[in-house]
Amino acid sequence: MNDKSTIQDWLLLLMELREDVTPKWGIMESQHLIEHISATFAISNGKLNAEILTPPEKIAHRKGQFFQPETVFPRGILAPGSKPEAPFPKRFASFDEAKVVLAQNVERFFKYYEDQPIATPSHPFFGPLSEEEWLFFHVKHLRHHLTQFGLIPELE
């Protein structure tokens, strides 16, 4: 299975997520999760510009550590700008609205790279990323959160 089909399959799992599901760890509720995933796709599809938080001289090292197949997101890692005691405020009026926007942002991601195959929107920690790097990031990021909410089993 390639990264594009993995993302599409896992998007279907996210669309089945119920609002009342309690995560195995972390402070996000289901709607926070949907909005968080949606925001990362909005950054990767050029809709949102992310401030690069990593000093330029450290980006190559940080990318080198993360972009390895065996590296996983650790439990408790915080999204850029978030606080450990509270998730971001919800941006959408309803869980269903957040899911619609997520689906739109994923669709825009695939269309964005059809139209601009050499685009490199910036990730807050890793700086400019190619389509291949964004695909790798999204699969790893989705695996982390789908595991968090019990939608897929944890890696052994």
Side-chain angles (χ1 to χ4, degrees), residues 87-116:
F88 285 111
K90 294 174 184 170
R91 293 182 208 96
F92 297 101
S94 74
F95 185 59
D96 289 335
E97 180 184 1
K99 283 182 170 182
V100 167
V101 174
L102 169 60
Q104 291 169 344
N105 278 325
V106 173
E107 184 179 321
R108 280 188 194 114
F109 171 76
F110 291 119
K111 177 79 171 112
Y112 181 75
Y113 282 103
E114 283 177 21
D115 296 342
Q116 302 177 70

